[in-house]
Amino acid sequence: MSPRPRPFLEPEYCKSCLRCIEACPRACITPGTVINPETGLIPVELHLENCNGCGLCMAACPEPFGLRPTTESFASVLDFELEDPAALFGPKIVPNYSEGDEPDETIPLPPCEPLVLKGSYASAIGALLAGCRHVFGYPITPSTEASELMAKILPKIGGHFIQAVSETAAVNMMYGAGGAGVPCITFTSGPGFSLMLEGISYMIGAEVPGVFVNLMRGGPGLGNLGPEQADIKLACRGLGHGNTHALVLAPSTPQEMLELTRQAFELSFLYRNPVVVLGDGYLGQMTGIVKLPAEMKRVGLPAWAVSGDRAHRHNLICSIELSEDDLEAHNRKLNDKYAYISAHEQRADCYRCADARQLVVACNTPARMAKGAIEDARALGYKAGLFRPITLWPFPIAALTTLLPHIDQLIIVEGSPGQLEDELRLALSHAGISPPPITHVRHYGGVLPSQEEILDCIRENTGGPV
Amino acid sequence: MSVFYNNFSRHAHGEGLKGHTTHYCAGCGHGVAHRDLAAVIDELALQDRVILVSPVGCAVFAHYYFNVGNTQAAHGRAPAVALGHKLAHPNAVVICYQGDGDLASIGLAETLSLAQMGLPITVIFINNAIYGMTGGQLAPTTLMGQKTTTSPEGRTLAMGQPLKMAELIATLDGPVYVERVALYDARQRRIARQAIKHALTLQQEGRGYAFIEILSECPTHLKLSPTESEKWVKEKMEPIYPLGVKKNKTGEPWFHPAPPRYIPEEILGLCGAERTRSAPPPCPWPAQLTARDLSFKFAGAGGDGAQTAALLLTRAAIEQGFDATNIPSYGPESRGGTSYADVHLAADEVLNPAAPEPDILIAFNSPSLAKFAPTVVTGGIILYDCTVIPAPRDLPANRRIFAVPFTQLARELGSPLVKNMVALGALQAVTELLPPLAILETMRHLLKDRPTWQPVNAAAFAAGQKAITLIAPDGR
Ligand code: SF4
Ligand code: SF4
Ligand code: SF4
């Protein structure tokens, strides 16, 4: 045996490209003459009498199992003598594959004075307390302040804020960092959210967690900066291409901006799926009282993470499945997940609903206008109540269903041309429920329905105070 | 080579030949580059640390072969994905493997921005002058005159000229090492392997971003044999894409990010939270008010301090145990034009935070007064700056209107900026909403790091309070 290993070839792995022939300075390789029955190709033939083991042919071969040094063939062909691999290469390295998740740790927080915060800041602080140290974003009104706060705080606590070249890049940074098993978030608004949808589809396909805070502004197109709710359709039905869904949480106060952002991280990792926190522009800008929770998180590392260490080396983050059967099976798995979420994660808040005859349905800031209107209506003797979905997907149909028997009129209040109403009607339809009459108060273009309009609608859609 | 899987089980479940042969066409340069990359990873003993980010293109299935951590990225987005990985686990060795359509066309923005950031990440760019996966279309790197399915008569000037990525990347400040190599003969293959090794070493040592452009063969779409393709790369591509080191400014290792920290006191401090103080004396909702919820509009020009005044009132109310909200105007209109804020104070809970018909208007300039005075509810209160609005016109009837010289009183204190404190003092005197010192205490608290600013603000507040007693309500 020469000091340098000579090549060997298992003929069925040769694609007959002939690159090795050019490479050999000693003319040891010739085009083959016999068709390999397994491949139908004609593998090259080796004549190694003059071979000095220079290795050039192996470096030219494009096939990993094409021309290889004899040292790699323990039980294979040619002149290799069987030896104990351990004697040749040392003891075999046994991969220490990750058996399970490295768990999160809950750290108690001392009691604090309530903060007076903008909703966007509250959301950012919620993310910090959830253990998020990776934020990727692109400035867009009215969400930018959250990114600014993160840019200020994160470098001081070993975190990273990256202002990406675009929202398209930002969502893919989340795909990378989320796939690496760390919690990450972005703060955006309609136009930016549109740009992220492709990436969200990839994240859902590859089951990568990540939190998207979309503070909706007036659209379509560049629109304006006023508060709107016309991305409900996108968040609930249009998360990029393919079979996609994500939990959509709808806060209505700065306090909920913090709480729902925190919960979004938990849900996102629990289900290995993105979660959308959907607010209107006012929720980003509005200042209010925010009480801090009693604990925060130090995050562990999930077993599935691609984290660049031995325990996780076998992992893959990927959404491509070439075989139709495999992709259908993957979609069934996603469907099962969606069904489980639909059954277990519906959330809603009911305000004065117990005896209500007219039920206003509203979320985000319009739910607060509605609350004011409900109080006015009650003072006038109307039995009005507010049903506020906190999850928009899944729509909290179970809670709504229990109220419907005593409801005479549903009034859907929204800053969009009926996207919330569409979700409600779809949920009713899937549940096989024929609803009471439905009417609505809507505004678009950066305007939200006012308390007075809602009150008027309550008064117009009833036989009078009960 | 242990860096390749023993069985390509991700390739159609690794059955039959698929377990040991690639999906690449015979003689494809990707295969050669894969063997180079695997050999280098093996040689540097980086297998456990490597995360390979594969592109959309013929190399989309790189995870079939490489027994390392794998992430498959969307078309063109591999650099962004790689960055996410690197920041999540800085000890990982992140390799971004991309073709010409992915890197130089759809992902150009991500490519350039990652290069300029200069983080230690290794980009392997396979340039074969054509789109492989989609079937032989024009690439940004297609040669002039080269026929592709979308340049059937050959590439013309109007399609743009070949994009020389290595040279382009080398002009940036971020990268430390840029080289173009080829695979067409034994010598070039040896240089290619060395270049990859150098690039990965730079990353391993935390020295910076490296870009290796590999001129590669796509025999299928060149419609040439593999060996003819090697010749084509040498004779046709290389003159347009000269080989060699384009940049080498290797400096000291610099990328050692601190690990994430989770220290409650530190985080609370950065969020502006303060430990619970002794419980404040309970403050009853002012007895003179029948409403349980009051709405305010603060309006002025940008720089009038309307936003700060609104925030101070909101904070002071919350500190007294009430609920309060504040919605500022935002976006371009708040820069230069009218700047206004809607504030609510409530005994229990602010229901509707908007104030389209405020109970109280504080107007700092004439356009604000003209715009919002008519919206104030009947019986509501209007306070305006009579220094800048000496003769207001068309004020609505049935409102309690107070003219207060915010600006003049502030000027007398030597600081026009504190006119918003004058306004708050006047508001306090008119409404007696909060305990007399509540707003002052909040102001002192907010300015605790700037104690020299406190006296003038306090004086302004007091001047505003006094002014209201001096000036009779405009009783129209
Ligand atoms: S090892 Fe060198 S001499 Fe031997 S066959 Fe390969 S190229 Fe020829
Ligand atoms: S280079 Fe490899 S695949 Fe090509 S002919 Fe030689 S042995 Fe076969
Ligand atoms: S199409 Fe071209 S680049 Fe793609 S695998 Fe075939 S030869 Fe390689």
Side-chain angles (χ1 to χ4, degrees):
Chain A
M1 219 178 126
S2 61
R4 290 184 297 186
R6 292 169 165 194
F8 79 97
L9 179 67
E10 293 182 53
E12 60 268 32
Y13 303 147
C14 172
K15 284 187 177 163
S16 316
C17 73
L18 311 186
R19 290 186 76 146
C20 51
I21 294 180
E22 295 279 299
C24 177
R26 296 187 164 222
C28 301
I29 309 177
T30 56
T33 49
V34 184
I35 295 181
N36 182 287
E38 263 200 71
T39 62
L41 301 170
I42 307 175
V44 291
E45 287 166 6
L46 308 186
H47 319 277
L48 299 177
E49 303 78 29
N50 290 329
C51 172
N52 64 358
C54 69
L56 297 178
C57 56
M58 298 179 256
C61 179
E63 283 297 313
F65 287 93
L67 283 173
R68 283 181 297 158
T70 42
T71 44
E72 282 190 14
S73 123
F74 306 141
S76 198
V77 288
L78 300 176
D79 61 346
F80 187 78
E81 288 148 37
L82 205 60
E83 273 190 62
D84 177 9
L88 277 177
F89 310 111
K92 185 163 190 251
I93 297 166
V94 183
N96 169 26
Y97 282 163
S98 179
E99 290 289 322
D101 297 343
E102 182 191 307
D104 294 348
E105 183 191 339
T106 300
I107 303 172
L109 287 177
C112 286
E113 288 292 315
L115 294 169
V116 182
L117 287 179
K118 263 185 192 228
S120 47
Y121 290 155
S123 178
I125 290 173
L128 292 173
L129 298 179
C132 173
R133 296 292 180 271
H134 293 82
V135 180
F136 305 99
Y138 188 88
I140 183 166
T141 308
S143 73
T144 311
E145 285 91 341
S147 297
E148 289 170 346
L149 185 69
M150 289 303 210
K152 191 170 131 198
I153 292 180
L154 284 173
K156 298 182 176 134
I157 53 173
H160 301 275
F161 169 77
I162 297 292
Q163 182 169 322
V165 69
S166 65
E167 282 92 349
T168 308
V171 67
N172 283 284
M173 291 169 188
M174 294 175 72
Y175 179 87
V182 304
C184 50
I185 193 169
T186 193
F187 303 94
T188 189
S189 185
F193 193 63
S194 287
L195 277 177
M196 292 177 171
L197 293 175
E198 179 205 38
I200 293 177
S201 167
Y202 275 76
M203 288 174 77
I204 292 172
E207 301 194 88
V208 173
V211 176
F212 294 81
V213 179
N214 175 4
L215 299 169
M216 297 175 280
R217 62 187 227 185
L222 198 50
N224 65 23
L225 306 174
E228 209 184 60
Q229 294 179 294
D231 300 345
I232 291 177
K233 166 196 75 186
L234 271 191
C236 295
R237 304 282 148 201
L239 293 177
H241 52 284
N243 173 16
T244 58
H245 273 300
L247 265 154
V248 179
L249 305 176
S252 75
T253 60
Q255 181 74 53
E256 279 192 343
M257 286 287 284
L258 182 142
E259 278 165 14
L260 294 182
T261 304
R262 276 178 80 216
Q263 288 174 29
F265 281 96
E266 272 181 39
L267 294 165
S268 185
F269 273 78
L270 179 62
Y271 294 113
R272 276 190 71 178
N273 202 70
V275 172
V276 181
V277 176
L278 195 63
D280 56 70
Y282 272 175
L283 277 160
Q285 295 296 324
M286 190 195 318
T287 295
I289 184 167
V290 176
K291 292 178 183 143
L292 292 181
E295 60 194 35
M296 66 174 210
K297 274 251 171 77
R298 168 206 285 275
V299 293
L301 190 63
W304 49 260
V306 174
S307 49
D309 54 65
R310 171 167 297 177
H312 299 84
R313 196 178 79 200
H314 61 300
N315 289 338
L316 168 67
I317 295 294
C318 177
S319 63
I320 187 166
E321 288 283 4
L322 216 52
S323 121
E324 288 83 357
D325 288 347
D326 289 349
L327 189 53
E328 182 164 51
H330 182 55
N331 271 274
R332 285 189 201 287
K333 181 184 164 201
L334 292 178
N335 287 342
D336 290 347
K337 175 156 83 178
Y338 301 153
Y340 186 92
I341 293 174
S342 298
H344 292 87
E345 300 294 352
Q346 295 181 19
R347 292 168 204 200
D349 180 39
C350 296
Y351 181 72
R352 308 197 75 164
C353 286
D355 63 341
R357 306 288 295 272
Q358 293 148 290
L359 192 63
V360 176
V361 180
C363 63
N364 298 139
T365 305
R368 302 190 71 172
M369 280 70 167
K371 244 181 178 179
I374 303 284
E375 281 304 295
D376 293 347
R378 286 271 172 178
L380 296 170
Y382 297 93
K383 288 199 165 177
L386 170 68
F387 181 77
R388 178 169 72 89
I390 296 175
T391 52
L392 301 187
W393 191 93
F395 193 90
I397 188 68
L400 183 65
T401 307
T402 62
L403 300 176
L404 287 182
H406 56 81
I407 301 299
D408 299 331
Q409 177 77 43
L410 281 169
I411 300 171
I412 320 299
V413 173
E414 58 186 312
S416 100
Q419 297 183 0
L420 179 63
E421 185 171 328
D422 286 347
E423 287 307 309
L424 174 128
R425 285 180 180 271
L426 199 55
L428 287 168
S429 163
H430 282 311
I433 296 166
S434 46
I438 298 177
T439 184
H440 53 249
V441 183
R442 295 174 184 168
H443 269 290
Y444 340 95
V447 186
L448 297 178
S450 74
Q451 183 170 328
E452 287 65 31
E453 289 169 315
I454 303 167
L455 178 62
D456 289 348
C457 188
I458 293 171
R459 297 175 68 168
E460 282 160 18
N461 287 281
T462 175
V466 191
Chain B
M1 262 183 271
S2 62
V3 173
F4 287 122
Y5 281 113
N6 285 330
N7 181 282
F8 303 150
S9 59
R10 287 171 179 155
H11 188 186
H13 304 276
E15 279 153 18
L17 284 174
K18 307 229 160 169
H20 291 94
T21 52
T22 65
H23 71 288
Y24 296 115
C25 308
C28 175
H30 274 300
V32 182
H34 279 21
R35 285 192 69 159
D36 288 338
L37 185 56
V40 171
I41 292 170
D42 197 28
E43 191 183 337
L44 297 177
L46 292 176
Q47 185 177 12
D48 287 338
R49 286 170 61 192
V50 165
I51 294 173
L52 183 64
V53 181
S54 48
V56 171
C58 285
V60 66
F61 299 119
H63 59 270
Y64 286 175
Y65 315 119
F66 285 92
N67 182 359
V68 297
N70 279 284
T71 292
Q72 200 291 309
H75 199 23
R77 315 300 166 218
V81 175
L83 178 76
H85 271 296
K86 191 71 184 175
L87 294 178
H89 300 290
N91 192 46
V93 172
V94 183
I95 301 169
C96 197
Y97 186 107
Q98 299 178 266
D100 39 42
D102 198 79
L103 179 139
S105 182
I106 194 170
L108 198 52
E110 283 84 352
T111 295
L112 293 182
S113 65
L114 183 77
Q116 187 67 323
M117 286 169 81
L119 261 60
I121 289 173
T122 308
V123 176
I124 308 277
F125 170 39
I126 303 293
N127 176 3
N128 54 20
I130 201 154
Y131 277 47
M133 192 196 209
T134 48
Q137 294 79 19
L138 182 87
T141 52
T142 293
L143 304 184
M144 294 306 289
Q146 187 184 336
K147 289 185 175 157
T148 70
T149 59
T150 49
S151 61
E153 305 296 325
R155 185 175 196 162
T156 62
L157 273 181
M159 298 172 192
Q161 297 179 49
L163 195 51
K164 296 174 182 132
M165 287 308 301
E167 284 79 1
L168 178 59
I169 298 288
T171 62
L172 302 177
D173 299 313
V176 293
Y177 178 57
V178 181
E179 182 167 358
R180 183 183 289 120
V181 296
L183 304 171
Y184 59 70
D185 66 21
R187 179 164 173 268
Q188 300 310 332
R189 287 188 286 265
R190 199 185 69 243
I191 296 172
R193 215 172 261 210
Q194 279 165 356
I196 294 171
K197 185 176 169 188
H198 187 51
L200 284 184
T201 307
L202 290 173
Q203 174 169 187
Q204 188 189 4
E205 294 170 352
R207 287 179 205 266
Y209 170 100
F211 183 91
I212 308 297
E213 175 171 344
I214 302 179
L215 302 187
S216 177
E217 296 80 14
C218 174
T220 300
H221 295 304
L222 291 176
K223 303 192 175 68
L224 298 171
S225 77
T227 39
E228 285 165 348
S229 309
E230 290 181 332
K231 217 167 135 214
W232 188 86
V233 171
K234 179 177 179 178
E235 290 173 3
K236 297 284 182 346
M237 274 188 94
E238 190 183 334
I240 308 299
Y241 299 110
L243 304 181
V245 175
K246 309 289 170 183
K247 178 167 189 183
N248 191 354
K249 63 150 204 187
T250 311
E252 286 305 301
W254 62 273
F255 185 70
H256 310 290
R261 279 201 304 277
Y262 304 87
I263 304 164
E265 287 70 21
E266 183 180 37
I267 290 182
L268 291 175
L270 289 166
C271 297
E274 290 166 22
R275 301 292 290 268
T276 305
R277 299 189 286 265
S278 53
C283 173
W285 186 247
Q288 75 275 18
L289 290 177
T290 45
R292 304 285 289 168
D293 180 320
L294 272 189
S295 61
F296 301 73
K297 192 167 299 267
F298 290 81
D304 276 339
Q307 300 297 343
T308 315
L311 206 55
L312 260 177
L313 178 64
T314 309
R315 271 181 178 273
I318 288 174
E319 281 170 16
Q320 293 305 312
F322 304 138
D323 192 19
T325 57
N326 168 22
I327 305 177
S329 57
Y330 53 88
E333 71 206 60
S334 62
R335 289 167 213 123
T338 309
S339 162
Y340 58 90
D342 288 1
V343 173
H344 270 257
L345 263 56
D348 316 299
E349 181 194 352
V350 174
L351 301 177
N352 176 3
E357 292 169 10
D359 296 307
I360 299 168
L361 168 69
I362 297 94
F364 288 87
N365 68 4
S366 181
S368 309
L369 186 64
K371 182 171 177 191
F372 294 116
T375 68
V376 174
V377 293
T378 304
I381 295 170
I382 298 173
L383 283 156
Y384 70 89
D385 184 350
C386 60
T387 315
V388 294
I389 323 169
R393 280 186 299 170
D394 303 326
L395 285 175
N398 303 321
R399 319 294 199 272
R400 293 168 64 212
I401 300 174
F402 298 86
V404 184
F406 302 161
T407 303
Q408 187 198 322
L409 291 174
R411 272 196 211 124
E412 284 167 12
L413 290 164
S415 176
L417 279 180
V418 297
K419 64 182 162 186
N420 55 355
M421 283 304 288
V422 177
L424 285 174
L427 177 70
Q428 171 66 29
V430 171
T431 62
E432 294 181 339
L433 258 181
L434 301 175
L437 298 179
I439 289 179
L440 275 182
E441 275 166 21
T442 301
M443 179 274 291
R444 287 208 182 91
H445 196 67
L446 284 181
L447 291 179
K448 64 180 182 300
D449 299 329
R450 297 195 170 113
T452 51
W453 292 13
Q454 290 179 10
V456 66
N457 276 285
F461 188 80
Q465 276 179 301
K466 275 227 297 288
I468 211 69
T469 58
L470 296 175
I471 294 167
D474 188 342
R476 273 180 292 162

